[in-house]
Amino acid sequence: MNHQALSSFIWSVADLLRGDFKRSEYGRIILPFTVLRRLDCVLEASKSAVLAELAEKKKAGINPAPFLLRKSGNGRFYNTWSGDLNKLLGDQDNIRRNLGDYVRAFSPAARDIFERFDFLTQVERLAKADLLYLVTEKFANIDLHPEVVDNASMGSVFEELIRKFAEDSNETAGEHFTPREVIRLMVNMLFIEDDEVLTAGKAVVRDIYDPTAGTGGMLSVASEHLLAHNPKARLNMYGQELNDESYAICKADMLIKGQPVENIAVGNTLSDDGHVGRKFDYMLSNPPFGVEWKKVEKTVRNEHERQGFDGRFGPGLPRVSDGSMLFLMHLVSKMRLAQDGGARFGIVLNGSPLFTGGAGSGESEIRRYVLENDLVEAIVGLPSDMFYNTGIATYIWILSNRKNVQRRGHVQLIDASSFWQKMRKSLGSKRKEMSDAHIETVTRLFGSFIEAELVSVFDAAGRAQGEPMLVTGTDDAPMAPEGGKLKRVPISRIFRNEDFGYTTITVERPIRDDQGQVVLGLKGKGKGKPQADSSLRDTENVPLNESVSEYFEREVLPHAPDAWIDPEKSKVGYEIPFNRHFYVFEPPRSLHAIDEELQAVSASIMKMLGGLAE
């Protein structure tokens, strides 16, 4: 049974709940029961050894906890109740009390998972509705033993259940998890240059962090990718999550995989950093799109104003309506120092952080900081309709403080918006997915640090000949057929960091009196100087790689000879007009061609009318 079939089977428990519970409440029962059954299956083999150890240590008057962790076989959690879910079914009259005892008998880390779900409250409600036995029986018959459902599949099941829960409760699924193919692409780009980690047999250790961990999907895929290449490598996973249900599932996943659960913090990353002072080798994040940060504004502003660049938000603060760039700065602050090996991270953002805010704004200052410090390696434009909660355009930013020599001083833009295939069944707003071949192509373009374009061949009649061909600088482009043409669309482009910078200059014009004479200042710094007319004031954006004076003389003075620049108002800004760099102008058809086509259509219509008149 694949993970989708298994998650559908588990969700069929909802049939029992219908009528007694609202649809929006199904997940609060199904999710913790799934976690309980998984832990139940994982602990089954060591249960007798744990109980024997407990009795022995109690008799000796020794704290049994550390010994029970060792006996559990996983080293992370245990349960000291005498039975399991199947034993609960043998005592139907006392199932409510026994289930409560069972959950309370978990070690603290595991018990916290059920407390986050407020699980025992749901147990009471099930008991009052005479459904507790039926639901428990249903889960006891689902085989979630690790040898039947591996960790990767179990993680996918968790995510599918969370998606169903989010849909039924009208929550935003995108707040909980990211599509797996997007994570795979991000992970590929993160690890592509780390030969030491990817070389089989090398016992290396790396730390990875997700400040918006959700159910732990990004961390899980990163771990699977690394272990597939090098089983001896160890990836220490860290994260933080705000949503209690998502945190509980992420924590359960970490428990099962043998990761230290204390590495997963709960709370708001922006106002209460759960990993203060810690630096990481790799980081991944998909922060919520367009969500305001008003709730944590006071804390964030205090850190910005009091700590400056010693804190996380030194460069500036974005507008309160969208906090995604705060997560970008948070990740920059968590990068392992270059002299200690450096770091690389990937973050999913919408289009707003690319260009929102003029020179001097918080957003522009953040872009300025990451570009002038040469941290941005690449930005990848994804297809629309890729995420469960939105159909808008999204982008993966890859940042690093350990750029190789070839990349230094440059940014690679990759337009992968055409790399998609239609899903057989839509999931919320998600109608498209990237195939393995699409992911491999984007990864190769990034890893090779090359420019490329898609070339389409059209015959003389304008019909496309085959699929577009990916052509790099070292490839031979296809030949256009006789009378036909080639259409070239850029896919990968490389720019210098300063290509995205500009200086906003303020152009002033003088006030003139009724006779048209320039009005001069009478006192202060402006004495004897032309007075600026605010109604004629204008601004111009001058590219950073161009001389301001030359630009002014060429573009402004020919049209306004009396204009001047106010140097005190000049500001440096940065924006990344992603779509502009991939726009291909297609000239309209000639008037002659359009006229000939209209004449042909008119002749055809007249012929048809003539046939009707006969």
Side-chain angles (χ1 to χ4, degrees):
M1 189 182 295
N2 64 34
H3 74 267
Q4 286 189 323
L6 179 55
S7 61
S8 295
F9 179 65
I10 293 172
W11 196 259
S12 68
V13 172
D15 295 335
L16 296 172
L17 306 176
R18 197 165 286 117
D20 293 283
F21 292 84
K22 298 175 184 176
R23 285 177 62 88
S24 60
E25 296 175 326
Y26 294 171
R28 292 186 172 88
I29 294 166
I30 293 173
L31 292 173
F33 258 109
T34 302
V35 174
L36 179 61
R37 179 55 178 158
R38 176 65 168 186
L39 299 186
D40 188 60
C41 292
V42 169
L43 292 174
E44 184 180 294
S46 62
K47 181 50 92 57
S48 58
V50 166
L51 293 177
E53 186 74 7
L54 175 65
E56 182 182 320
K57 292 299 180 281
K58 273 190 172 181
K59 188 175 180 181
I62 299 173
N63 175 22
F67 301 95
L68 299 183
L69 285 172
R70 280 200 291 272
K71 285 290 182 181
S72 69
N74 61 75
R76 298 296 173 193
F77 62 98
Y78 58 83
N79 187 285
T80 58
W81 195 63
S82 58
D84 53 21
L85 280 187
N86 283 303
K87 183 177 178 180
L88 286 170
L89 300 177
D91 188 0
Q92 184 171 351
D93 294 336
N94 295 304
I95 190 170
R96 179 186 61 78
R97 186 188 69 203
N98 289 339
L99 183 54
D101 290 343
Y102 184 24
V103 169
R104 283 187 285 268
F106 274 105
S107 51
R111 191 167 63 247
D112 178 59
I113 294 169
F114 298 101
E115 290 171 355
R116 297 282 173 185
F117 277 120
D118 198 15
F119 182 53
L120 294 182
T121 298
Q122 305 303 332
V123 168
E124 291 290 339
R125 294 184 65 197
L126 287 168
K128 287 178 181 177
D130 290 327
L131 291 172
L132 183 57
Y133 182 85
L134 293 174
V135 171
T136 305
E137 181 182 40
K138 184 93 171 180
F139 276 95
N141 291 326
I142 300 172
D143 191 353
L144 296 182
H145 287 83
E147 59 270 20
V148 176
V149 183
D150 63 21
N151 287 335
S153 298
M154 198 67 232
S156 298
V157 168
F158 279 152
E159 294 194 356
E160 185 72 8
L161 293 174
I162 277 280
R163 186 188 64 78
K164 290 178 183 290
F165 176 32
E167 285 183 355
D168 281 348
S169 58
N170 291 320
E171 291 182 12
T172 305
E175 291 181 359
H176 299 287
F177 60 93
T178 310
R180 282 276 165 144
E181 72 270 25
V182 175
I183 304 175
R184 285 203 304 274
L185 173 59
M186 294 174 73
V187 168
N188 282 359
M189 295 169 77
L190 283 194
F191 287 112
I192 192 167
E193 292 179 351
D194 198 334
D195 295 332
E196 187 180 19
V197 164
L198 297 177
T199 303
K202 288 201 172 186
V204 295
V205 180
R206 294 287 187 273
D207 294 341
I208 190 166
Y209 169 63
D210 182 353
T212 52
T215 59
M218 285 191 165
L219 298 174
S220 295
V221 172
S223 177
E224 292 159 17
H225 177 88
L226 188 57
L227 292 176
H229 286 82
N230 181 9
K232 285 197 172 183
R234 193 175 91 222
L235 195 62
N236 295 323
M237 293 185 267
Y238 297 81
Q240 185 160 347
E241 174 55 31
L242 178 61
N243 179 279
D244 268 356
E245 279 101 353
S246 299
Y247 167 74
I249 290 178
C250 180
K251 192 171 180 180
D253 199 31
M254 295 299 111
L255 269 179
I256 292 161
K257 291 175 178 174
Q259 288 282 337
V261 291
E262 60 270 19
N263 289 355
I264 308 299
V266 66
N268 192 309
T269 303
L270 299 179
S271 60
D272 184 20
D273 182 6
H275 300 283
V276 176
R278 187 176 285 277
K279 306 289 184 180
F280 302 96
D281 303 296
Y282 297 104
M283 291 171 281
L284 293 159
S285 180
N286 176 21
F289 301 145
V291 175
E292 66 174 28
W293 48 283
K294 198 169 188 65
K295 289 181 181 177
V296 297
E297 183 179 4
K298 184 178 179 181
T299 305
V300 171
R301 286 198 183 279
N302 280 343
E303 182 172 340
H304 168 67
E305 292 165 4
R306 294 178 182 178
Q307 298 185 37
F309 284 89
D310 291 331
R312 296 173 293 167
F313 311 117
L317 298 178
R319 59 201 64 193
V320 176
S321 59
D322 187 356
S324 55
M325 292 190 87
L326 293 176
F327 287 98
L328 176 70
M329 286 191 290
H330 172 77
L331 290 176
V332 168
S333 75
K334 294 291 185 184
M335 298 174 85
R336 195 176 299 286
L337 298 177
Q339 59 263 36
D340 296 330
R344 174 183 278 162
F345 72 79
I347 182 171
V348 181
L349 299 170
N350 61 13
S352 178
L354 291 168
F355 51 79
T356 299
S361 68
E363 292 90 350
S364 178
E365 287 300 295
I366 295 168
R367 289 190 292 270
R368 180 179 183 178
Y369 179 81
V370 296
L371 286 165
E372 289 188 349
N373 284 279
D374 200 18
L375 296 176
V376 183
E377 284 194 299
I379 299 175
V380 180
L382 298 175
S384 59
D385 300 323
M386 280 286 289
F387 286 79
Y388 303 99
N389 64 326
T390 179
I392 64 173
T394 51
Y395 302 83
I396 297 173
W397 292 48
I398 302 294
L399 281 76
S400 176
N401 59 0
R402 59 174 187 224
K403 282 187 177 183
N404 62 35
V405 176
Q406 194 181 11
R407 287 187 182 275
R408 286 174 193 164
H410 294 84
V411 176
Q412 183 178 15
L413 302 185
I414 301 174
D415 181 11
S417 59
S418 61
F419 292 3
W420 59 273
Q421 61 187 24
K422 193 171 183 179
M423 295 179 65
R424 284 177 294 182
K425 182 183 177 184
S426 297
L427 297 173
S429 297
K430 182 173 172 58
R431 300 177 181 86
K432 300 174 183 175
E433 62 185 2
M434 296 181 79
S435 67
D436 290 342
H438 293 142
I439 293 171
E440 192 277 329
T441 299
V442 176
T443 304
R444 179 165 57 85
L445 289 174
F446 173 72
S448 302
F449 190 58
I450 52 175
E451 294 197 329
E453 56 187 6
L454 280 180
V455 181
S456 302
V457 181
F458 294 89
D459 62 18
R463 293 186 295 264
Q465 304 296 294
E467 293 295 316
M469 178 179 175
L470 185 70
V471 177
T472 66
T474 57
D475 299 326
D476 293 326
M479 298 291 292
E482 186 175 350
K485 64 175 184 177
L486 299 179
K487 180 182 177 182
R488 296 174 176 269
V489 178
I491 290 297
S492 173
R493 300 193 63 186
I494 296 170
F495 298 88
R496 294 173 301 169
N497 293 338
E498 57 268 26
D499 291 340
F500 302 112
Y502 60 90
T503 302
T504 297
I505 60 172
T506 300
V507 178
E508 301 284 13
R509 302 277 302 280
I511 298 174
R512 293 181 180 272
D513 59 23
D514 294 339
Q515 285 74 44
Q517 298 299 312
V518 174
V519 176
L520 302 178
L522 300 176
K523 57 183 179 179
K525 289 194 298 183
K527 186 175 182 180
K529 297 178 181 177
Q531 295 300 289
D533 187 340
S534 59
S535 65
L536 297 177
R537 184 174 295 144
D538 199 3
T539 58
E540 296 274 342
N541 288 341
V542 183
L544 270 189
N545 50 20
E546 188 170 344
S547 164
V548 170
S549 59
E550 290 178 6
Y551 177 94
F552 184 72
E553 289 173 8
R554 184 182 73 248
E555 301 291 339
V556 179
L557 289 181
H559 310 286
D562 58 356
W564 73 91
I565 298 172
D566 185 345
E568 292 184 0
K569 295 177 182 175
S570 295
K571 295 178 181 177
V572 172
Y574 280 82
E575 67 174 3
I576 305 171
F578 191 94
N579 292 336
R580 189 195 307 165
H581 291 304
F582 292 97
Y583 174 73
V584 177
F585 173 73
E586 290 192 41
R589 292 183 300 159
S590 67
L591 290 175
H592 177 70
I594 295 172
D595 191 47
E596 283 189 336
E597 189 174 311
L598 286 173
Q599 288 180 13
V601 171
S602 298
S604 175
I605 292 173
M606 295 303 294
K607 185 177 180 181
M608 291 170 63
L609 291 173
L612 291 172
E614 291 177 358

